[in-house]
Amino acid sequence: TYGVAFFVNNINDVAVEGCTFTVNQVSTSTNYACVRISGSQTSQTSPTTSNNFVFRNNQLIGGYYGLSIYGVSANPSTNVTIEGNNITGFYLYATYFLYIDGLTIEQNDISRPIRSNSSTTYGIYGSQNTNMLVNRNVIHNLFDAMPTNTSTCYPIYSTNDNVFSNNIVYNINHNGTIYGIYDLGSDHTKYYNNTISLDNTTATAGTTRGVYNSATANGLEFQNNIISITRGGSGIKYGIYLNGTT
């Protein structure tokens, strides 16, 4: 069984604005997605091209993926803008982006207050992208209906050098490990004016890291960020964790 509200393959110079996409809000199957941009309607990991694509002011409800775009590694998609969307009810990925050069993710609201089942959770997931700007997004209330859940949560996750600015993360209320911003060892990443509040005093467990860089990285910039951690439980807590020697 499949449920994909909006599927496109090989698109250029397209804008999608002011729409609502709704799929199953209970299933844990990868077959469900609100928006799937890939080379196959039945698989998210099939490469396709999506140049000069704008996705703005839409509402996405449900799915394993909320919004996913899978580009071509040898010839990445270019100039993709994801702006002003409301994404909720997803199972694992609110957003999922691979192989894009010139990706702007801005002013999106990501939450999941009523879903009662979840595995590992990603708010914004980016891998193998270049020139990515993650700006003015709000990620919050991802576990309200499952506060004892112990899965790992990545409100923002990236593997390449990017700019993270003016984002807000708060009310991640569960008992699992949390990485407010997780960077997979990228050089020259810039963190400006972000607010990360991991302050669930009723939590009973879970490692907590406000900003985490997983490997040796050079040229990082960290300015005017606010990180607050008053989370309960016995788990180790770090405001900034740099897992490298330089």
Side-chain angles (χ1 to χ4, degrees), residues 37-103:
I37 300 175
S38 77
S40 169
Q41 186 174 358
T42 59
S43 172
Q44 179 46 46
T45 58
S46 177
T48 192
T49 300
S50 53
N51 297 316
N52 303 316
F53 176 65
V54 176
F55 192 82
R56 180 182 291 128
N57 297 333
N58 302 288
Q59 184 169 5
L60 286 69
I61 304 168
Y64 188 96
Y65 303 92
L67 165 66
S68 58
I69 302 177
Y70 201 106
V72 179
S73 60
N75 186 26
S77 297
T78 58
N79 300 324
V80 173
T81 298
I82 310 298
E83 181 181 0
N85 303 286
N86 187 299
I87 304 172
T88 190
F90 56 93
Y91 176 65
L92 201 151
Y93 297 97
T95 62
Y96 179 90
F97 306 104
L98 272 81
Y99 302 116
I100 301 171
D101 179 23
L103 171 62

Side-chain angles (χ1 to χ4, degrees), residues 14-32:
V14 170
V16 179
E17 302 187 56
C19 300
T20 297
F21 303 97
T22 303
V23 295
N24 190 300
Q25 298 179 62
V26 178
S27 175
T28 61
S29 170
T30 60
N31 294 340
Y32 290 91

